[in-house]
Amino acid sequence: MFESEEFQLSFNERSRRSSTDGSSRKNSIEGSRRNSMELVGTKAGTAMPAEMRQALNLKGLVPASIENFAKQELRAYEQLMTKSTDLEKYEFLAVLRSTHVNLFFRLVIRHFREIAPIIYTPTVGEACLNYSHIYPFLYPFRTSVGLFITLEDADDIDTVIENYCFSMLDIVHPEITVITDGSRILGLGDLGVNGMGIPIGKLQLYVAAAGLNPKRTLPIVLDFGTNSQRYLNDPLYLGTRQERPDETTFYEATDKIITALHRAFPEMLIQFEDFSTDHAFGLLDRWRKDILCFNDDIQGTGCVILGGFISAVEEAGIPAQDHRILFAGAGSAAIGVAKQLLQYLVIEHEIPEEKARAMFWFVDSHGMITANRGDKKLAEHKVRFARHDNDTTQCKDLAETIEYVKPTALIGLSTIHKSFNEQILTRMSQLNAQNWPIIFPLSNPETKAECSFEEAMRCTDNRVLFASGTAFPEYTIPETSEVCIPGQGNNMYVFPPIGLGAVLCKPARITDTMFYAVSKALANSLSSDERARGELYPRIERIRQVSARLAGALIVQAVREGLVEDKHWLDIVRGSMPEVVEGEGKPDGRVSRRVIGEVKTLMWSPPSSVEQYIVEAMTAIDPEDV
């Protein structure tokens, strides 16, 4: 039945050692091996081979049919399709992830376009809103889905980490963590401990889109309380029932936790996620030079939007220096995007920084951001882009600002649903009659999106360079029946390969120019067909292929900056790209086939056969007992 000689030999030896006669039952070592076999066999499910069923005394206790993984996948997909709501699909997939991790990822990878919006945005937003109500039904109680760290735990954080290590069956250290405090989840606000759905969902995308090992991922939520009365008053809320701490307490606790995590897992990449704006910038500034870390809201969002913006500038029909870029929203994500667009204009188009910065305008809840509009104290992250050239002009809202600025590009990170209404979109089309307007409604989830793809197409007479943060359906132009595919500037194009590249080459830190290189690589990854159709991002079905290229681009840039010590990667980059000289040249996103090929060989994929799965699983549990 089994083609793998390695599998047959190792399985027969394990079966012999796990014999169920009286003496072996008394032997704790043999019992442990049997327990391991039972665990692996359970995860194999209906594909458990006859030999393993026999060794585990399962004859007559399970259906006789022995299936392959393809049939398991077919059955799981069939069951998924019976669920009537996206939340029910999320719950089904969460249980599948807990019980059959390889089947889960085979399903996600094969149906990525369909399932990604279920395990992440937009459905994860609904799941987070209800997380305390559905959590007990998603995971077995003693199954560790990650770390829930309270303020009190900060003083005993080493015990929490020890508990985590003890709970893991496989003796492996995590390579990557996504950590949040739930204070600013998507556009939904302060969800407290319910924000755990975000680290879990993002790490699933790290695995599915870029091939990180699921056993080496660690979701973390800092359960420091919540300022949401909805959850404080909810009798079923699972988090700490207290308001959030003051600034001093917050930073003292996070310092203890991050220091302990870095001490326990010094090579682990830390991705900060969905912290309040001030804390997002504060944590990034505090740690980015000392440990391997980044903030996806600030840096990842900017990176993916820059990738689409580079393509949009090429298609818009006017020189880069003539663009006027208006942001609706001025939080951490918006400022992060603006910084990376600014860097692009300076590096790629050699526009002096002061002149490039003058190409940006921002609107927040008080109107156009200016240095003299009367704020008691303008938030620190907004100061850099506040206008000083407006004289006495003040604009109270987006519509007034559009008339004043006459933008060529409108970027939404406001979380205000439908704020790009018909009037706004029509005016953008009128102002850009000689070129194509760039309209990026980037807020997540869909209930927070500034407009839809259909609305943008209709109001601009189908003349729009569009990218959204959430997925929108295709649009068929009524007059021509042409089917148009919306660009999705979703961070999942970039944070998985950034994580993969960093985990593989272990740079001393992740720099802004590495993000820039990834953005360039993303723009360069468009196929000729995608370019011909005016698309701004690669088709999502190619995401693993694209991830390998982007991870390679980060590695190349890290080598260029002298931040990689691993001789393996130094030799590959220098050998295949002799033009890459340490300390020289600007980031261009270029990467050799050899680098891409090496990245691909190191990307994790779920086992394709039961033989492969059992050998890998038993070896991971007991590597010396092969």
Side-chain angles (χ1 to χ4, degrees), residues 451-472:
C451 71
S452 69
F453 182 47
E454 178 181 352
E455 289 163 347
M457 290 289 283
R458 284 193 293 101
C459 293
T460 61
D461 195 24
N462 309 316
R463 295 173 50 261
V464 62
L465 295 165
F466 179 94
S468 59
T470 193
F472 283 111

Side-chain angles (χ1 to χ4, degrees), residues 16 70 95 112 158 167 193 322 353 362 459 479 495 520-521 595 612-613 622:
R16 183 188 64 77
V95 173
F112 191 83
D158 289 333
S167 73
V193 78
D322 292 341
E353 182 170 344
F362 283 80
C459 293
E479 296 80 6
F495 70 75
K520 288 283 290 182
V595 172
Q612 178 190 358
Y613 161 66
D622 190 359

Side-chain angles (χ1 to χ4, degrees), residues 202-218:
K202 296 207 83 155
L203 287 168
Q204 289 171 353
L205 292 182
Y206 273 106
V207 176
L212 279 90
N213 188 330
K215 294 180 180 179
R216 305 192 70 177
T217 64
L218 175 57

Side-chain angles (χ1 to χ4, degrees), residues 566-584:
D566 189 332
K567 188 176 183 298
H568 175 74
W569 288 107
L570 292 175
D571 289 346
I572 290 177
V573 172
R574 292 168 178 170
S576 61
M577 301 181 70
E579 70 276 16
V580 175
V581 178
E582 185 175 319
E584 297 183 12

Side-chain angles (χ1 to χ4, degrees), residues 14-178:
R14 293 177 198 280
S15 297
R16 183 188 64 77
R17 294 175 183 176
S18 297
S19 170
T20 57
D21 61 33
S23 61
S24 66
R25 288 182 184 274
K26 297 176 183 178
N27 187 298
S28 61
I29 297 178
E30 297 303 325
S32 176
R33 290 185 178 126
R34 179 183 172 85
N35 290 340
S36 297
M37 191 184 300
E38 287 178 345
L39 178 64
V40 171
T42 299
K43 297 290 186 181
T46 56
M48 187 191 302
E51 297 93 331
M52 182 172 277
R53 297 180 184 207
Q54 183 69 29
L56 295 175
N57 302 320
L58 292 178
K59 184 177 179 62
L61 303 183
V62 296
S65 178
I66 298 175
E67 299 183 318
N68 57 26
F69 281 175
K71 283 190 176 180
Q72 288 186 336
E73 190 178 317
L74 178 64
R75 180 181 291 107
Y77 184 73
E78 177 186 78
Q79 285 301 303
L80 178 65
M81 291 299 98
T82 65
K83 309 305 176 185
S84 59
T85 68
D86 287 345
L87 184 58
E88 289 176 345
K89 292 178 180 179
Y90 177 93
E91 293 170 341
F92 172 81
L93 289 168
V95 173
L96 185 64
R97 169 68 176 83
S98 297
T99 55
H100 296 284
V101 63
N102 291 296
L103 175 57
F104 170 81
F105 281 112
R106 288 199 306 274
L107 200 66
V108 173
I109 292 170
R110 186 177 299 276
H111 303 279
F112 191 83
R113 176 180 287 276
E114 188 174 2
I115 292 179
I118 303 297
I119 62 174
Y120 200 57
T121 58
T123 307
V124 72
E126 183 181 2
C128 286
L129 289 170
N130 296 281
Y131 202 71
S132 288
H133 293 251
I134 63 177
Y135 170 86
F137 311 107
L138 303 182
Y139 321 104
F141 185 72
R142 289 186 60 82
T143 298
S144 173
V145 297
L147 299 184
F148 298 80
I149 303 174
T150 66
L151 272 176
E152 290 72 20
D153 291 333
D155 291 324
D156 193 24
I157 186 61
D158 289 333
T159 298
V160 174
I161 295 173
E162 289 171 6
N163 290 344
Y164 164 76
C165 294
F166 182 77
S167 73
M168 301 306 291
L169 179 65
D170 301 338
I171 306 174
V172 293
H173 284 175
E175 295 176 322
I176 183 170
T177 180
V178 175

Side-chain angles (χ1 to χ4, degrees), residues 240-371:
T240 302
R241 293 179 185 277
Q242 63 186 36
E243 293 188 349
R244 292 189 174 276
D246 58 36
E247 295 292 284
T248 300
T249 305
F250 173 85
Y251 282 110
E252 286 178 351
T254 53
D255 278 359
K256 292 175 183 177
I257 292 165
I258 295 169
T259 298
L261 287 169
H262 184 61
R263 183 171 59 247
F265 313 119
E267 294 186 339
M268 181 174 69
L269 170 63
I270 295 177
Q271 188 222 296
F272 298 112
E273 178 72 19
D274 284 349
F275 286 85
S276 66
T277 298
D278 289 344
H279 289 165
F281 282 105
L283 288 170
L284 184 62
D285 291 343
R286 165 71 178 84
W287 292 101
R288 66 180 305 181
K289 293 181 180 179
D290 297 328
I291 64 174
L292 194 61
C293 68
F294 75 100
N295 182 297
D296 187 49
D297 302 305
I298 298 171
Q299 297 165 293
T301 301
C303 181
V304 73
I305 300 313
L306 175 55
F309 188 79
I310 291 171
S311 299
V313 167
E314 294 174 355
E315 299 290 333
I318 59 174
Q321 64 268 21
D322 292 341
H323 277 281
R324 297 178 301 280
I325 305 164
L326 175 59
F327 279 79
S332 59
I335 299 300
V337 170
K339 286 181 176 179
Q340 296 206 37
L341 300 191
L342 175 63
Q343 185 183 42
Y344 160 72
L345 295 168
V346 172
I347 294 176
E348 188 72 16
H349 297 281
E350 299 181 345
I351 302 172
E353 182 170 344
E354 185 175 349
K355 184 177 179 180
R357 190 165 59 249
M359 297 167 62
F360 292 82
W361 287 260
F362 283 80
V363 173
D364 63 11
S365 58
H366 301 293
M368 184 173 70
I369 297 177
T370 67

Side-chain angles (χ1 to χ4, degrees), residues 315 464-466 485 526 529-537:
E315 299 290 333
V464 62
L465 295 165
F466 179 94
I485 299 174
L526 288 166
D529 177 62
E530 289 161 349
R531 292 184 187 279
R533 294 176 61 88
E535 296 175 20
L536 303 183
Y537 291 96

